[in-house]
Amino acid sequence: MGTSKNYKQVHSPKYWQKKSGSKRKNRKSNKNISKQKIIKFGIYSFVSLILFGLIFVSILFVWISKDLPEPGKLQKRLLAETTKIYDRTGEHLLYEIHGDQKRTLIKLEEIPDHTKFAFIALEDKNFWQHKGLSLKHIFKAVIFYSFKKIGLYRGLVPGGSTLTQQFVKNSILTREKTLARKLKEWILAYQIEKKFTKEQILELYFNEIPFGSTAYGIESAAQTYLAKSAKDLTLAESAILAAMIQAPTYYSPYGNHTDELYNRQKFVLSEMVDMGFVSEQEVEEAKKQNIKFERSISNIKAPHFVLYVKEQLTEKFGERLVEQGGLKVFTSLDIYKQNIAEETINKFAEGNQKNWEASNAALVSLDPKTGEILAMVGSKDFFNEEIDGQVNIALRARQPGSSFKPIVYTAAWQQGYFPETVIFDVVTKFKTETGKDYEPHNYDYEEHGPVSLKKALQGSLNISAVKTIYLAGVSNVLDLAEKLGYTTLSDRSRFGLSLVLGGGEIKLLEHVAAFGVIAREGIKQEPISILKIEDASGNILDEVKIKKGDRVMNEQIARITNYILSDDNARSYVFGTRSLLTLPNRSVASKTGTTNNYRDAWTIGYTPSLVTGVWVGNNNNSEMKKGASGYQVAAPIWHEYMSLVLGDTPPEEFKKPKYELPEKSMLGGSIGKETIVTIDKSSGLLASEYTPEHLKENKTYRELHNILYFINKNNLSDPEPGYASNDIQFESWEQAVVTWAIDQEIDINEEPPKEFDNIHILKNKPFLAILEPWPDSKIDKSFNVRIEWEALLPIKKIEYYVDDVLLVTKKNNFTNQINQLLILPNTFLKGDHYLKIVIYDEEENSNLAWHKIILK
């Protein structure tokens, strides 16, 4: 519609007929009249609807506006009250979030241009054009919020507010999340835009915006975080402060998201370049600046835990209510256990630093029955900037090393494998999707031959672990990890077989909670840090009701893992008995972990009622000394803490699992098929009745194969595939077994003989005759013996006996007749005696002849 048209023209049926170019002169008049009526009715209905909407919006505007403060009265503030955070008893104050606001006013002209540009570039690019509202930003915020609600987005929802709206909600309105409050915000933003200039609004904004803690306004923020006036802020410092304001607690430089803070700073700088506020050269110089933050936290106990709680509070209630609302927060923290955790870490800190170049340590301890966090130490010294002590390692993703193996083996139990299942722990090449072979090695660079999965897990054998994750399936392991609560393994494309050796970063808190699920026999409780929240009047705003938890694993599966990790004898071949991984007179399950190049060392251990994890390393990911394993640097901390906090509490036992082993080779525990037969050493054939006893031996014929010869890993109930296996790993796994067997001088896959000894047979037995003396001949103690024989093979040995006493042995190549002089010892008395002669051919075929003689 053109602007030259008046209201009546625009809403006239003739106008629309003329505009559409319709020609209906030849139509019947009754039809024209009917269509004109329809058009008239439609136009009038549309206009009526518009008018009604305008009237409704006007009435709504007046009704909402009646309670709004005057835009000019902007200095009136609510009285701020201190929020207090307590331990689980409410008797120990951990921290006070002071309600007193620090605010120092500053004129807009005193604020550097690059500071103004940083905030405008990030928060409101169209600040100079809009009238207080940005429909584009509002729509964008709604979309991201909707995605977050349905789980398609996990980050912070981008702001939909202009700088004017932010000023309104931070200075005039409450932070309640209702439609009425949002409408009030829009109305006030519009009114302020009409009353003040853009420069005045920007000055009000910079003097009001909250930066967390008690810092309000840019000047207070500059003084609090950087110990300087806002007029002296550099480009880099301006960008870092701008990066904080969306969520000051989350992006706090003293919190656990400093990486995200600096990434956001870089984003601010990039936006400033795109808008032409600064040059790329200026940005590159700004990125090089090392920003030094002032220490602003004091009088705090369990600082990492407190800040973790504060972050959750602000997510739920907003910055203002937490900072000024006078909340009383009862946490899950057990101050007794927390003190022991801190003291224990400090006790071993100096030794770990001196002996292993490990500058930091963290500990998390929780109750698996409730999920309550009882102790959390994020670093050995919160206030030590040299080690980045304010970073909470309990919430940072680090590689877990072998401490992740129990999760993989638990997934294997779920897929139908057993502790007794046998695999070959021998150097093996694994085929990968990249086409490049993967060849893991054990920590001791040894091969351990056929081992049970139980022994492989307790001995932390890497080769066996990689085979286990292949058999269990990487996707099945990740499915289990997700159910157990790991949030850092969602990008499945990143992970392959090396996941079992700690190839995926995880958080200590989530790691401990996952082991808590196993300790509770498959019942999952989400980690809990806040038990109850009261407002300033004592009204309960929120209170945790401990639930039964969700079953995410069959109890028998969990019991298998508990049974293995608590079996001290099973790991004794590596750690010995009664090691640091045990507790006196108490059943405890435990596992260590060490990453490549000794960057991370872990120990996780638990009873049915207490799970504790310890990490040791360096925050900057630098290497510790070679040998700084989880057992060396983390286990001593874990052992001492658990010993002290459990003290003389009643010991608990893990329940034994129940399962039936299948009869399949290797899957059910047997190494392979075995056949034991008696063979003839000479021929290698089955021994017969003619085989000499000394040439008989029992021989075991073993059919050794890799496990894929006996099973289809995708369906363990399938028949034995044998050499027909089409598994991609079969050939390389089979070759590894053959190579190992050759190195061990073991004959494998040799069929037992089916034929009998063909050397020691009746027709090969030599014939022997004693020619002299004759039977019953009378002889002297010295007498001649003459024999003759017939034999198919050369005679190699002749033995002469009297009364089974061997007198002479002759070895040589003989003709078929021989004389031999025998002399009887004086011990032989007069009377009857028996002469016996035995002959042997070169294959040990033998025969004998004997008869009676009489000594004179």
Side-chain angles (χ1 to χ4, degrees), residues 686-717:
L686 295 174
S688 69
E689 60 182 302
Y690 301 110
T691 303
E693 288 299 320
H694 69 281
L695 292 180
K696 293 180 180 179
E697 69 172 354
N698 290 333
K699 186 174 181 179
T700 300
Y701 288 86
R702 182 175 294 153
E703 191 175 354
L704 291 184
H705 296 283
N706 80 90
I707 191 171
L708 296 174
Y709 180 94
F710 301 102
I711 64 166
N712 172 8
K713 79 179 186 71
N714 298 318
N715 189 346
L716 297 181
S717 62

Side-chain angles (χ1 to χ4, degrees), residues 42 62 93 150 164 169 181 202 240 357 386 457 479 485 488 568 610 625 637 716 760 766:
V62 172
L93 179 63
I150 61 177
T164 313
K169 66 185 178 184
R181 193 211 65 81
L202 199 56
I240 206 81
E357 295 179 0
E386 291 183 3
L457 173 55
D479 287 343
T488 54
D568 191 37
L610 185 66
K625 276 187 178 179
I637 298 173
L716 297 181
H760 307 104

Side-chain angles (χ1 to χ4, degrees), residues 9 36 59 64 104 121 127 199 220 248 252 275 285 295 307 339 350 459 478 501 525 610 618 622 630 659 775 811 837:
Q9 285 178 317
Q36 288 175 0
I59 294 172
I64 290 175
T104 303
F127 172 73
E199 288 77 8
S220 178
S252 170
M275 295 189 71
E285 289 298 319
R295 181 186 297 183
L307 293 181
N339 289 338
E350 184 178 351
L478 290 171
L501 305 183
Q525 293 282 11
L610 185 66
N618 297 306
S622 62
Y659 54 86
K811 294 181 179 179
I837 300 170

Side-chain angles (χ1 to χ4, degrees), residues 83-96 299-302 305-306 328-339:
T83 290
K84 297 181 178 180
I85 300 177
Y86 294 90
D87 74 335
R88 65 188 300 109
T89 67
E91 297 176 359
H92 300 277
L93 179 63
L94 303 178
Y95 187 56
E96 284 187 88
N299 298 321
I300 185 172
K301 297 178 180 177
F305 176 77
V306 166
K328 192 174 183 180
V329 183
F330 298 88
T331 69
S332 61
L333 194 80
D334 185 320
I335 196 67
Y336 170 72
K337 291 181 174 64
Q338 178 70 22
N339 289 338

